[in-house]
Amino acid sequence: VHFSSIIAEECAKIVEKVRINPGNYIDKRANFKELNLSDYEYNLELEKIHDRLLPLIKVCNEYGTAIRIGSNHGSLSDRILSRYGNTAKGMVEAAMEFISIFNAENFHNLVISMKASNVKVMTESCSLLTQRMIETGNVYPQHLGVTEAGAGTDARIKSCLGIAYLLNKGIGDTIRVSLTEPPVNEITFAKKFMAEFGEKKAYSENI
């Protein structure tokens, strides 16, 4: 649920996992306005986000629902864009802010994803996220995918470049091949990754 906390809270009562986007779940969708926030003002915004997440955390605790924090290159907030730019670092910092809030509330039933249609941005953000999670001691499963990959051979090449590169580094726990085709085609191609990377390897930043 990208944009509505109310819908997310209701869905969390009947599904196993909800996906929320730090870029527009509580922050307003970007208007691409430069925000010159002081550290104090920035932290006040984080406190507001924390308060708004509490009802969702309560529902998910009650129903045993998992949350995927899904940061998307195409929908970062003005707050994040103003401080980090439209970058892989911005995607990661947006997700890490939410991770910190969930940790503060002792909620750890999380999955994290970094999605971009640009393969370079996608792989960079996933790699950086892994490093940041290790540094902070808060390591959660990662869901991989190149969003808006398209259809046909080009889409499969983009997905293969992004997903296979990361799996080969030991990054990634679940995957989705996003195709603008019948959904069954996504599964067929995803199985090719399972055939190659069925056994998860240890993470290595040197590959």
Side-chain angles (χ1 to χ4, degrees), residues 154-171:
D154 287 350
R156 286 161 173 77
I157 290 173
K158 286 179 67 174
S159 293
C160 187
L161 287 172
I163 295 172
Y165 170 78
L166 291 165
L167 291 175
N168 195 46
K169 290 185 68 172
I171 296 174

Side-chain angles (χ1 to χ4, degrees), residues 153 155-157 159-160 163 175 177 179 184-194:
T153 301
R156 286 161 173 77
I157 290 173
S159 293
C160 187
I163 295 172
I175 66 172
V177 177
L179 301 174
V184 68
N185 293 352
E186 297 184 351
I187 298 171
T188 301
F189 193 66
K191 285 182 176 179
K192 296 181 183 296
F193 290 105
M194 292 303 299

Side-chain angles (χ1 to χ4, degrees), residues 130-163:
T130 298
Q131 294 171 13
R132 292 282 282 115
M133 289 197 297
I134 291 173
E135 289 169 1
T136 60
N138 299 306
V139 180
Y140 295 101
Q142 271 199 75
H143 173 72
L144 307 181
V146 179
T147 192
E148 298 177 355
T153 301
D154 287 350
R156 286 161 173 77
I157 290 173
K158 286 179 67 174
S159 293
C160 187
L161 287 172
I163 295 172

Side-chain angles (χ1 to χ4, degrees), residues 91-146:
M91 293 170 61
V92 172
E93 292 305 322
M96 292 302 298
E97 289 177 354
F98 271 52
I99 289 173
S100 294
I101 291 170
F102 285 117
N103 283 341
E105 297 300 324
N106 198 31
F107 185 92
H108 303 287
N109 195 5
L110 300 173
V111 176
I112 320 297
S113 67
M114 302 280 111
K115 293 289 188 80
S117 58
N118 182 299
V119 175
K120 184 178 185 299
V121 174
M122 177 264 193
T123 55
E124 182 182 354
S125 61
C126 290
S127 298
L128 180 58
L129 174 68
T130 298
Q131 294 171 13
R132 292 282 282 115
M133 289 197 297
I134 291 173
E135 289 169 1
T136 60
N138 299 306
V139 180
Y140 295 101
Q142 271 199 75
H143 173 72
L144 307 181
V146 179

